Amino acid sequence: MRAVVQQRRVLHPAGAGRPVELLRPDPEPEHLLARDLHSARSFLYVHGMKKARLATALLFLLYGTLIGVWTARIPAVKEHLGLSDGLLSLALLALAAGAITGMQLVGTLVDRFGTRRVLTPVALADGFLLIPVALAPNLATLALALFAFGVVHGTLNVAMNARGVEIERAWGSPIMSSFHAAYSIGGFLGAAAGGAFAAAGAGPVVTFASVAVVMAAVTAWAVAQSFEATREHPATEVRQNPGPLRGVLLLGGLAFCALIGEGAAADWSTVYVRDSLGGSAALAAGAYAAFFAAMTAGRLAGDPLTARFGPVAVVRAGGLLAAGGLGAALLVHHPIAGVIGFGCLGAGLSTIAPQVFSAAGARNPDRPARAIARAASIGWLGFFAGPVLIGGGAALTGLPVALAIPVVLAAVIVVAARAVDVRSSGVPVAAAGR
């Protein structure tokens, strides 16, 4: 029990006044003890939330790293099987189909059993499923292996974003964009790692096996840390008549518009600068590099901007930047303008997907994973359909005119930006993790 020392003057037997120390108990020890315990718990909670946020960002980074490694080794897989561009496209279509299939299945599983029970096994298995892809002896087995990898990768996508929404809700301020920035950085690191393995003469099997082992070890630590300090939300039982998901179709439409632009930049930015504008090969490569770098920087800046101006203003400004930047570049019709235009497209689209996933989960707090799965599925359709749509338009009107499609869709994002406003949906702001 705490005590305080008081100085009181008492009359000494000798008659001289002399200060004597007397102990008097603190009148409210329980109150002070409770305050100290609360402070300690608050410190531990804040420290734990920081660890959980860092670990969740690491999961996003690993997710992007694996895609980067796979992308860097696609030419080696194609060469090993002697595939034409058309046959390779069919195999990659199996990957897309698998991813969308996984997204459709995982929403209910996460909402019923909880994020950790679904995220842990798929995160650990994700990297190892690229090994059968490298071992595939023909097109049919390659497509089957890519489908299986796509199912797990799509499942992980939704489970990971659902976990991001949980962390953001507990954090109390926007942090979803930083998770997607980690994913973008991971894509760069993965591409660099894949290129390093290729330069060393390692085949796809060695590449994927080496990366899978390292990623599994890091993933196991990241998953444990992500859930260690935060109690997972209780699994929501599936209701008999749950009703429609709120706002998901419109949010999915925003993701569709944004990801068409991302797919177009990935497949057509270098072709446009080199073939349509007559730029050098180095300048053409710089177009996608500018897009990727600007998107990463935009995601790193996305959370502070969202906290200050709100998600609607950020999404609307991003759409304006994407539409205005690429649209002006198409009108100028110069290689350097093309590079700048794709940079503006990347910066403008950078925060759309994070805001869509955050709003989908916040609008449907009883079924966040299913809402994210629905929006993500619609968005992925845009990513895979975008290059095909641009290619078909280029065959009819020329590539410069066809690239106006993402410009128009970015303008649609400007008009529909209010879809990410959680406050207008009737969901409490605190639950949305404002």
Side-chain angles (χ1 to χ4, degrees), residues 133-217:
V133 172
L135 294 172
N138 52 50
L139 176 62
T141 53
L142 175 65
L144 184 62
L146 283 174
F147 181 84
F149 171 67
V151 169
V152 172
H153 207 64
T155 300
L156 179 56
N157 183 296
V158 173
M160 197 173 54
N161 277 286
R163 182 57 181 164
V165 169
E166 291 174 357
I167 297 293
E168 183 178 59
R169 187 181 305 167
W171 192 267
S173 61
I175 58 173
M176 198 67 175
S177 188
S178 66
F179 293 146
H180 285 252
Y183 162 76
S184 297
I185 295 171
F188 173 79
L189 295 176
F197 274 100
V205 176
V206 174
T207 302
F208 298 151
S210 301
V211 171
V213 170
V214 174
M215 286 186 61

Side-chain angles (χ1 to χ4, degrees), residues 102-123 151-166 169 227 232-238 361 364-374:
M103 290 177 182
Q104 298 307 308
L105 298 174
V106 69
T108 301
L109 293 176
V110 170
D111 290 338
R112 182 186 291 272
F113 299 110
T115 310
R116 184 171 193 167
R117 293 181 180 178
V118 177
L119 190 150
T120 301
V122 296
V151 169
V152 172
H153 207 64
T155 300
L156 179 56
N157 183 296
V158 173
M160 197 173 54
N161 277 286
R163 182 57 181 164
V165 169
E166 291 174 357
R169 187 181 305 167
F227 290 95
E232 192 170 10
H233 295 287
T236 303
E237 295 183 0
V238 179
N364 301 274
D366 54 339
R367 294 163 292 162
R370 269 176 284 183
I372 293 171
R374 188 74 56 82

Side-chain angles (χ1 to χ4, degrees), residues 340-414:
I340 296 174
F342 277 104
C344 291
L345 182 68
L349 299 181
S350 62
T351 60
I352 308 301
Q355 295 301 333
V356 164
F357 293 147
S358 180
R363 281 176 174 268
N364 301 274
D366 54 339
R367 294 163 292 162
R370 269 176 284 183
I372 293 171
R374 188 74 56 82
S377 298
I378 298 172
W380 269 62
L381 287 175
F383 185 81
F384 291 112
V388 177
L389 186 63
I390 301 297
L396 294 174
T397 63
L399 185 55
V401 176
L403 284 174
I405 294 174
V407 173
V408 173
L409 293 178
V412 172
I413 291 174
V414 175

Side-chain angles (χ1 to χ4, degrees), residues 31-45:
H31 172 72
L32 294 175
L33 180 61
R35 184 189 64 186
D36 292 344
L37 288 174
H38 177 73
S39 298
R41 288 171 181 169
S42 298
F43 171 80
L44 291 175
Y45 178 77

